[in-house]
Amino acid sequence: MTDTVTGGLAAPLADPDSFVEGSPWKLFRALRDDEPVAWTPEPDDGSGFWSITRHADIVAVSRDWETFTSSRGVSLEDLEDDQLEHRTSLIDTDPPNHAAMRKIVSGMFLPRVVNGYESFLRGIVATTLDNALAQGSFDFVERVSSEIPVRVLARMLSVPDTDHAKLTSWGDRLVGGTDPEFADHLPGTPEYEEYRLVPFRSPAALEVFDYGRALQAERRAAPTGDLISRLVEAEVDGEKLSQQDLDNYFLLLALAGQETTRQAITLAMNTLVEHPEVLARLQSEPELLSGPALDELLRWGPPVYHMRRTATRDAVIGETAVKSGDKIAMWYPSGNRDERAIEYPDTIDLDRPTVDLLTFGKGGPHFCMGSFLAKLEYRVTVEELVARLDTATFSGPVERLRSNFVNGIKRMPVTVTNR
Ligand code: HEM
């Protein structure tokens, strides 16, 4: 058993610059082989964290929520108690409260409900793709990915379709906090301190709160049974949610409901361009997308790099001792390519009988609540895309988000020919 705190190999994972050229696959492999539970020092005032990169360890940590709590936050930021008090939402809540909070809206994300969106979704996707592909050359992020999940979200929130640009821009500012193009302010500035009680330390969160509050007031006056109505009507332990709980829950849904799926769709196109053999196979056998091939594409292009947990007691992960209070980052893309769990993981194989996917988390209470919806949006978009595309190439540099949290692409110029 190792209990020494080492540094070095995993250190680049704490630096968002390590991700601007794409996922650090070689580093992930080296860590899985040589230091699967690796101490990762953080620059500035960060306390450092353990990086876990093997599939089995990620599942074990996700499952054991009593030893590895979410209640100190799921991003790597070190949060003081007053920050947690203001910023906690469903995703940072442990059982048993977690179950009661999740139940408020989870019914709206069940397959039988979500499947009801398919024809509406196919309509949006068809129009979006027809308009974009007719251009021949265009930015896939702007013209396609940014148009689809956000419109589904707008429908779930019963807000006007025209609000979609606002929702997308809030998503960019919230998850893009480490990218100078999107950040309202970077660490070290006075504003960074000023907004310390606000999720992501971003003024965008306050705009989302205001937007959500206006919707909540409308639904209190006239409930419609939508997501917002459920939130304002919900009772946990006989009490309605506080305004702060409503704010944070709404923000989580508004963000999780579009940003990740938007990135997933961009990453899917990236795969189709980089691997024309995958495009060709899906063009001839689109029905593959109704089976495990869909998970294989999601394994290859996962939008979330990590979630954090915090040890509630001294514990052992794999063969490494961690101490109570230590932060742990579960690197999902690395687990997705762990040869201990997935045969020949560096190959896209659309014929795998099953895919042990970590893209949405695995094994724990926080497993992505929107996974069926995300998969539906992803499947319909890729189906409609391969039905229209003949060839696709990059027509300029793919620009990535400077983030070690979201595997994001900001711009992806493509040139296409259509069938
Ligand atoms: C491809 C798209 C998506 C990906 C990759 C993704 C990924 C994830 C991951 C990794 C987690 C944390 C799992 C864990 O800690 O065990 C999560 C949680 C969550 N996701 Fe997603 N997600 C996606 C789409 C969505 C959508 C469309 C929604 C709809 C609102 C959504 C809502 C949520 C919520 C509410 C949670 C927190 C659940 C909880 O704490 O109980 N996600 N997601």
Side-chain angles (χ1 to χ4, degrees), residues 90-91 98 102 109 252-253 256-257 260-261 264 303-304 307 309 332 359-361 365-370 373-374:
L90 169 73
I91 202 164
H98 170 265
R102 182 160 165 137
F109 294 94
L252 173 68
L253 293 173
T260 41
T261 316
V304 178
M307 287 283 163
R309 299 291 187 265
Y332 299 120
T359 298
F360 298 101
H366 295 280
F367 178 78
C368 176
M369 191 166 75
L373 176 61

Side-chain angles (χ1 to χ4, degrees), residues 62 70 74 90-93 98 102 105 109 153 156 227 249 252-254 256-258 260-262 264 298 302-304 306-307 309 330 332 358-371 373-375 377-378:
S62 301
S70 295
V74 293
L90 169 73
I91 202 164
D92 328 89
T93 304
H98 170 265
R102 182 160 165 137
V105 293
F109 294 94
L153 176 71
M156 291 190 91
L227 270 181
Y249 211 138
L252 173 68
L253 293 173
Q258 45 136 349
T260 41
T261 316
R262 177 158 74 111
L298 283 160
V304 178
H306 70 261
M307 287 283 163
R309 299 291 187 265
M330 305 177 284
Y332 299 120
L358 291 185
T359 298
F360 298 101
K362 189 178 174 196
H366 295 280
F367 178 78
C368 176
M369 191 166 75
S371 66
L373 176 61
K375 282 192 185 189
E377 295 183 24
Y378 190 84

Side-chain angles (χ1 to χ4, degrees), residues 368-388:
C368 176
M369 191 166 75
S371 66
F372 293 117
L373 176 61
K375 282 192 185 189
L376 175 71
E377 295 183 24
Y378 190 84
R379 175 172 61 77
V380 169
T381 305
V382 179
E383 277 172 3
E384 296 293 328
L385 188 59
V386 299
R388 285 167 173 73

Side-chain angles (χ1 to χ4, degrees), residues 175-204:
V175 304
T178 48
D179 187 317
E181 183 179 339
F182 294 130
D184 289 301
H185 43 253
L186 290 166
T189 58
E191 293 81 9
Y192 192 71
E193 274 316 297
E194 186 185 332
Y195 288 98
R196 60 185 287 285
L197 296 181
V198 175
F200 299 91
R201 292 193 184 233
S202 169

